[in-house]
Amino acid sequence: MADRTVEQHLAAVLAVARPLPPATVPLPEAAGLVAGADVECLVDLPGFDNSAMDGYAVRAADLLGATSDAPVRLSVVADLAAGDAPSRVIGPGEAARIMTGAMIPEGVDTIVKVEDTDAGMPLVGVLVETPLGTSIRRRGEDLPAGGPVVAAGTVLTPRHIGLLAAAGHASVAAHPRPRVAVVSTGAELVAPGEAVQPGQIHDSNSYLLAALVDAAGGLTAYRGTVGDRPDEVRDLLDHLATEVDVIVTSGGVSMGVHDVVKGVLRERAEVDFVTVAMQPGKPQGFGVLGERRVPFFGLPGNPVSVFVSFEAFVRPVLRRLAGLEPAVASTTPVRLTASLRSPAGRLQFARASVHRDPQDGTWLATPVAGQGSHFVADLAAADALLRVPAEVTHLQAGDVVESILL
Ligand code: AMP
Ligand code: MG
């Protein structure tokens, strides 16, 4: 069978991904999530007319002719802090001392700031005429009760969280973070921190994937390794399909005799093992597992393939489950500082380090030396993936190529 293109495989994986049903999420956990419903304001914002200044609440008409040489004197009959409910009406010739945020008492129409007075008590001298209505914040002028706080589909920024709290909401309906299980397969794997025996390597993929999931707004609900025993792998995957929203394995999907993931799932109608015209990341398993039809990614084992496959396929699915547009940020044109070879017929995701040209601000990209899919040090050193089109086999210094900045 002919290889799928990257676009075809992405379409196939997105075809089974649906946004997770909205859940009630406490505000402290909601930043970064997508609102699942329209939310209305429960109170007027501001909730009542209040002072914008520390000063005196007065009648503007009392201040006519006030100057620093001839202050108008008013008797201060109330002292209002934020949180106080005024208990009396302020009459002609009277004032209330008032702090920022305190409720405006009846009878007054203007706030004169303390700097425009002699700050006196119990008699205050006002030094300037002050226009009617100065420094009063009006009830509901920001957002009235019932007004729109967030619309369904809004990505909740810290500013939205602040608004939701001001509007009286302790929680919000939002698409939850997708819970993801990441599983490394392979008899050669030992945990980092343990000594490797001859032939063994440290499992790095499950740590790479868990960190990618968490950075992408998901929640790593399970991280582990399994060996090459088919029944063990099958039991673990079937169990995880009852618990999580997405399962990502690495290893065991290509042509080897011990390729256990492919071995235990290839007979299932809901899982396909295909080749995608890309480098790295050619062998890909994808389907759904269990009654909950949990999206399953069987990624190849090489760490660079895992990373590229995550960016190309897993991240868009996590975004859709979270209620976001699956498309990731657009690509950026970069100019090569060195030549680069690329395989015919496969979209290459070449790793490169980028910096801005100090002269004209454009991006310059230097491909990393190790383009093989096992070069984890060069992967870590890279900060861009160059998308070299399938038909391109050779690029020279100075050529421009679209890239994903990491
Ligand atoms: P596989 O796809 O299982 O044939 O593995 C391809 C290559 O990736 C082999 O060199 C494996 O040893 C390596 N590999 C597989 N799984 C991991 C892992 N979890 N961490 C690091 N390397 C791995
Ligand atoms: Mg293997």
Side-chain angles (χ1 to χ4, degrees):
M1 218 170 73
D3 290 352
R4 284 183 180 177
T5 65
V6 169
E7 287 69 27
Q8 286 167 338
H9 191 58
L10 178 61
V13 305
L14 285 175
V16 305
R18 299 273 169 280
L20 296 171
T24 301
V25 180
L27 282 198
E29 293 155 34
L33 302 187
V34 176
D38 296 345
V39 180
E40 289 184 359
C41 200
L42 298 179
V43 294
D44 288 317
L45 291 176
F48 44 86
D49 291 358
N50 71 89
S51 177
M53 289 288 179
D54 294 330
Y56 292 84
V58 300
R59 295 165 176 250
D62 282 349
L63 305 188
L64 293 181
T67 66
S68 48
D69 293 335
V72 167
R73 296 197 188 282
L74 303 170
S75 70
V76 182
V77 297
D79 197 7
L80 298 170
D84 289 346
S87 57
R88 58 161 290 175
V89 178
I90 309 301
E94 295 179 340
R97 187 162 75 170
I98 194 164
M99 300 299 137
T100 304
M103 206 167 173
I104 305 291
E106 270 184 64
V108 297
D109 52 32
T110 301
I111 303 297
V112 52
K113 60 181 186 286
V114 68
E115 296 90 328
D116 290 341
T117 72
D118 62 8
M121 285 289 261
L123 214 59
V124 63
V126 179
L127 312 177
V128 290
E129 288 185 10
T130 305
L132 182 80
T134 297
S135 295
I136 296 181
R137 304 158 164 174
R138 295 295 173 191
R139 172 180 177 166
E141 71 178 359
D142 189 1
L143 191 63
V149 173
V150 294
T154 304
V155 180
L156 298 172
T157 66
R159 289 169 287 118
H160 292 110
I161 301 299
L163 172 59
L164 282 157
H169 294 279
S171 61
V172 61
H175 298 284
R177 297 182 195 287
R179 289 163 304 150
V180 183
V182 298
V183 181
S184 290
T185 71
E188 72 276 34
L189 304 176
V190 297
E194 288 175 20
V196 284
Q197 303 302 325
Q200 295 183 325
I201 61 170
H202 291 123
D203 165 31
S204 62
N205 288 344
S206 72
Y207 293 89
L208 169 64
L209 281 168
L212 284 167
V213 164
D214 292 336
L219 206 71
T220 302
Y222 177 90
R223 188 203 55 74
T225 60
V226 282
D228 279 345
R229 292 211 0 247
D231 50 347
E232 194 191 344
V233 173
R234 184 185 302 112
D235 290 351
L236 177 63
L237 295 181
D238 285 339
H239 170 70
L240 290 171
T242 67
E243 302 253 297
V244 301
D245 303 312
V246 179
I247 298 171
V248 185
T249 66
S250 70
V253 296
S254 45
M255 307 302 277
V257 289
H258 299 294
D259 278 333
V260 63
V261 175
K262 194 172 181 178
V264 301
L265 297 179
R266 70 185 315 159
E267 300 309 328
R268 297 199 188 177
E270 307 84 9
V271 181
D272 291 322
F273 290 88
V274 299
T275 51
V276 179
M278 64 192 284
Q279 186 192 58
K282 183 174 178 180
Q284 293 283 338
F286 182 76
V288 294
L289 296 183
E291 284 175 9
R292 294 169 59 243
R293 299 184 58 77
V294 171
F296 159 79
F297 291 90
L299 307 183
N302 276 305
V304 183
S305 309
V306 167
F307 176 73
V308 167
S309 303
F310 183 93
E311 294 301 324
F313 308 123
V314 183
R315 184 188 293 277
V317 165
L318 296 186
R319 289 176 58 87
R320 171 160 291 170
L321 265 55
L324 293 163
E325 283 298 316
V328 194
S330 55
T331 55
T332 306
V334 301
R335 192 149 31 88
L336 292 177
T337 63
S339 65
L340 180 67
R341 296 199 168 282
S342 187
R346 293 164 77 185
L347 172 62
Q348 186 190 23
F349 292 89
R351 281 73 65 210
S353 58
V354 289
H355 66 277
R356 279 187 184 276
D357 186 321
Q359 249 82 62
D360 60 10
T362 58
W363 287 103
L364 298 174
T366 306
V368 299
Q371 293 291 340
S373 55
H374 60 292
F375 282 97
V376 286
D378 276 338
L379 174 63
D383 43 23
L385 287 177
L386 312 181
R387 283 180 65 112
V388 186
E391 65 281 4
V392 174
T393 56
H394 190 243
L395 288 167
Q396 288 168 356
D399 285 350
V400 171
V401 58
E402 290 298 322
S403 81
I404 302 163
L405 302 184
L406 302 174

